[in-house]
């Protein structure tokens, strides 16, 4: 039996993100001033500098490409079987819109920079799921 994993605790700004994840949708905050998607949403928009960005969450396609990855061999959190791959994914919706997640294809998955991935979700508790990724069929 592995220990149960820590569960994310949403704050006011991230609550819609976690609510969407629980429905297995990837929703990203969008600045209503300049229209930029922002990860993670802070008090000020990193693109236009507005301190009143009035974020609205937008559902993403879940498509992206791998920009880098790392093999995690030693778990610093309970409930993760090691080794596993952690991928840094650029989402299709906006250049440099990056999100990090586990790759669910196993530690020996044929990952490479530029590989297309699709978002998937790992259920970690009742009503709590965290975004992760799987390799998409490479049509290139
Ligand atoms: Zn902005």
């Amino acid at each position: 039996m592995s220990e149960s994993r820590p569960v994310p605790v949403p704050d006011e700004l991230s609550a819609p993100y976690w609510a969407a994840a629980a429905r297995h949708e990837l929703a990203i905050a969008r600045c209503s001033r300049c229209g930029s998607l922002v990860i993670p949403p802070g008090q000020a928009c990193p693109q236009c500098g507005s301190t009143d960005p009035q974020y609205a969450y937008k559902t993403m396609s879940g498509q992206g490409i791998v920009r880098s990855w790392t093999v995690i061999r030693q778990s610093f959190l309970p409930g993760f079987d090691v080794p596993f791959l952690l991928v840094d994914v650029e989402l299709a919706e906006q250049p440099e819109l990056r999100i990090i997640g586990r790759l669910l294809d196993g530690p020996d998955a044929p990952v490479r920079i530029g590989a297309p991935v699709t978002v998937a979700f790992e259920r970690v508790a009742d009503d709590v799921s965290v975004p992760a990724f799987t390799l998409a069929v490479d049509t290139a």
Side-chain angles (χ1 to χ4, degrees):
M1 263 314 269
S2 57
E3 292 176 72
S4 61
R5 285 203 219 165
V7 169
V9 180
D11 58 21
E12 197 182 326
L13 275 176
S14 68
Y17 174 87
W18 293 113
R23 300 190 304 267
H24 289 192
E25 290 176 7
L26 183 63
I28 300 300
R30 187 175 188 215
C31 172
S32 62
R33 305 291 174 189
C34 70
S36 294
L37 296 162
V38 180
I39 302 174
Q43 297 299 332
C45 172
Q47 293 295 325
C48 69
S50 170
T51 53
D52 184 24
Q54 296 187 12
Y55 294 116
Y57 274 76
K58 190 171 182 291
T59 302
M60 302 288 104
S61 66
Q63 308 299 311
I65 58 163
V66 173
R67 293 296 299 265
S68 68
W69 75 91
T70 185
V71 182
I72 305 297
R73 298 188 184 282
Q74 212 167 14
S75 186
F76 44 90
L77 292 169
F80 290 90
D81 292 328
V82 288
F84 65 85
L85 289 172
L86 204 59
V87 287
D88 178 357
V89 172
E90 181 178 299
L91 296 178
E93 277 76 8
Q94 182 177 297
E96 294 305 318
L97 186 68
R98 309 276 277 264
I99 182 169
I100 290 172
R102 262 157 61 87
L103 189 74
L104 303 181
D105 300 73
D108 301 319
V111 65
R112 58 177 174 77
I113 291 184
V117 289
T118 304
V119 75
F121 288 86
E122 287 189 284
R123 190 169 172 275
V124 295
D126 286 345
D127 302 325
V128 183
S129 291
V130 296
F133 292 92
T134 59
L135 288 172
V137 175
D138 196 343
T139 52

